[in-house]
Amino acid sequence: MTTTASVVLGTVLRCGPIARSGIARTSGLSPAAVTRTCAALAEAGLLVEVPQAVPYQGMGRPHVPVDIDTGRHVVAGIHIAHPYCTLTLLDLRGRVLVRRTIPHATPDDPHEVLTTAADALLRLHADRFPGHVPLGLGVAAGGWVDPETGVIVRHASLGWRDTEVRALLTARTGLPVRVDSHARALARAEQLFGASRGHDSLLHLFVGNVVDAAIVTGGAAHRGPRSAAGDVAHLALGDPAITCECGKRGCLEATFSDRAWAARAHRDGVIGRPYVFDLVDDAVAGSPAATAHLAERARGVGRAAAVLFDFLDPEVLVVTELGTNRLPACAAALRDEVVAMSRASADAVLTSSFGEDVLAVAAGAVQLDVLYADPLTIRNPVWQGV
């Protein structure tokens, strides 16, 4: 259910700095409701008056605008990828203040991975932003994630099953912890902070070491009764000549994941080791072979995305994938393929709004989604251990 506070804070996020009278006109709320809510949000440290933002002109009492207060709080984030965790602190506008990656020492031991990440995040906050109070910790990962229980039900590439992430990290950090899939988190981030603002329906396809999707309808992510919606990894939309670890042929993830595509580029002699970042870096540096290899992946992803687009008929499709994030030629190849193979128009096909910060934004957005949904339920926790 939408609250008055969420409407006001969301309006300021989209339009701020903005006067209270402007919030009332934009949102349809009464001036009295806006005034009361702005006072409560300011007391909570979420809004701040910025009289310098709009020079006063004319007679009468000036209208002092308000904006999101980015000077008092942060949200913390941990993104769990196949080879490493990304640690981050974001301001309340979703901007990445700092990010750091730490490789997994023992990838198949979730307790070791999570406690190492939590302890490093505590130090990162203490070193870089000790004066900012963290409102919570967001955790994003690929695979099957249940946000209601805070459990990673299955992360195939890491081999994790039924990992109680929220319980472990709450005990370790003292923060309220929320866990969700990175595809759903990024879909919400696109709506809050990205190019998809104003769209109530959205399909987000994430192509990394894990391939999964998020479906947004009516402004909210569809999770399904088991929180398993968006599991597209084993749809037969890939190369039928490739046998997946699941035993089937042509699985989307087995064909187009970062690991699979890097291994292919290595076999083809395009890169010296099967590491996808080498392929992307070579393409950015001007390698025709690397660029062609990534453009081929973009077209293949585009064909799969076209099927999903026509099945779901969203307002916009957003694809997060390394090549399309960094290379205009790959973004164009993806867009052209989707348009040619589906009912989508070119302006409905978008690449990620967050560039190299995409994994950090995914983690922070898990917690920011909670904040913007019901901001006055947030309470400043004690950041233990700092």
Side-chain angles (χ1 to χ4, degrees):
M1 183 177 67
T2 302
T3 66
T4 300
S6 69
V7 172
V8 170
L9 196 65
T11 301
V12 178
L13 176 67
R14 293 189 302 273
C15 306
I18 183 173
R20 292 167 180 82
S21 57
I23 298 172
R25 285 194 302 272
T26 301
S27 67
L29 297 170
S30 71
V34 170
T35 298
R36 288 194 302 271
T37 306
C38 283
L41 291 169
E43 184 178 1
L46 304 177
L47 287 186
V48 63
E49 291 189 339
V50 282
Q52 71 279 9
V54 180
Y56 173 58
Q57 296 176 342
M59 300 176 62
R61 183 179 177 183
H63 295 282
V64 179
V66 295
D67 203 356
I68 304 296
D69 189 345
T70 58
R72 295 174 60 180
H73 295 105
V74 292
V75 294
I78 299 173
H79 179 274
I80 304 164
H82 178 78
Y84 56 80
C85 283
T86 299
L87 316 179
T88 188
L89 298 171
L90 276 66
D91 71 16
L92 301 192
R93 279 193 167 275
R95 295 176 296 213
V96 174
L97 303 174
V98 60
R99 63 181 166 94
R100 182 171 299 165
T101 59
I102 54 171
H104 304 323
T106 313
D108 58 354
D109 182 350
H111 185 274
E112 191 277 336
V113 168
L114 293 171
T115 55
T116 298
D119 293 347
L121 187 60
L122 289 169
R123 293 191 295 271
L124 185 64
H125 172 261
D127 292 343
R128 298 294 300 273
F129 291 93
H132 287 64
V133 177
L135 290 177
L137 169 59
V139 182
W144 181 1
V145 182
D146 185 351
E148 296 302 318
T149 60
V151 169
I152 294 178
V153 181
R154 185 176 67 239
H155 193 298
S157 71
L158 284 171
W160 293 9
R161 285 184 175 271
D162 299 319
T163 303
E164 296 185 357
V165 176
R166 183 171 66 199
L168 191 157
L169 290 177
T170 298
R172 197 75 176 188
T173 66
L175 282 173
V177 175
R178 185 164 176 83
V179 187
D180 208 342
S181 82
H182 55 205
R184 287 193 290 255
L186 285 168
R188 185 58 177 145
E190 291 286 349
Q191 290 182 299
L192 286 171
F193 316 113
S196 297
R197 292 185 189 189
H199 293 293
D200 285 334
S201 67
L202 180 150
L203 168 64
H204 177 245
L205 180 62
F206 185 99
V207 181
N209 282 314
V210 173
V211 177
D212 49 16
I215 305 155
V216 175
T217 58
H222 173 68
R223 291 190 169 89
R226 291 165 293 278
S227 294
D231 184 358
V232 299
H234 299 286
L235 293 182
L237 297 174
D239 184 347
I242 294 176
T243 301
C244 180
E245 292 177 356
C246 75
K248 296 189 296 184
R249 288 181 172 271
C251 291
L252 186 60
E253 185 171 286
T255 304
F256 295 114
S257 73
D258 284 352
R259 287 189 298 158
W261 205 259
R264 176 175 173 170
H266 181 244
R267 287 195 304 270
D268 292 347
V270 178
I271 48 178
R273 56 177 179 165
Y275 188 57
V276 72
F277 292 102
D278 288 356
L279 183 64
V280 176
D281 288 344
D282 286 356
V284 171
S287 164
T291 302
H293 226 271
L294 287 168
E296 183 182 353
R297 178 164 88 152
R299 286 190 291 272
V301 170
R303 289 190 292 275
V307 173
L308 297 173
F309 185 95
D310 278 354
F311 180 69
L312 296 167
D313 193 29
E315 291 178 90
V316 291
L317 162 72
V318 181
V319 176
T320 296
E321 183 265 340
L322 275 171
T324 56
N325 275 3
R326 297 188 62 188
L327 293 159
C330 290
L334 169 82
R335 187 174 294 109
D336 290 348
E337 200 71 24
V338 174
V339 171
M341 301 294 290
S342 76
R343 292 188 294 269
S345 59
D347 59 1
V349 183
L350 307 175
T351 57
S352 173
S353 300
F354 307 113
E356 294 185 56
D357 282 331
V358 66
L359 300 184
V361 171
V366 176
Q367 193 60 238
L368 287 168
D369 182 22
V370 178
L371 171 68
Y372 281 97
D374 199 358
L376 292 181
T377 63
I378 298 294
R379 295 290 182 268
N380 294 348
V382 175
W383 182 262
Q384 296 179 347
V386 176

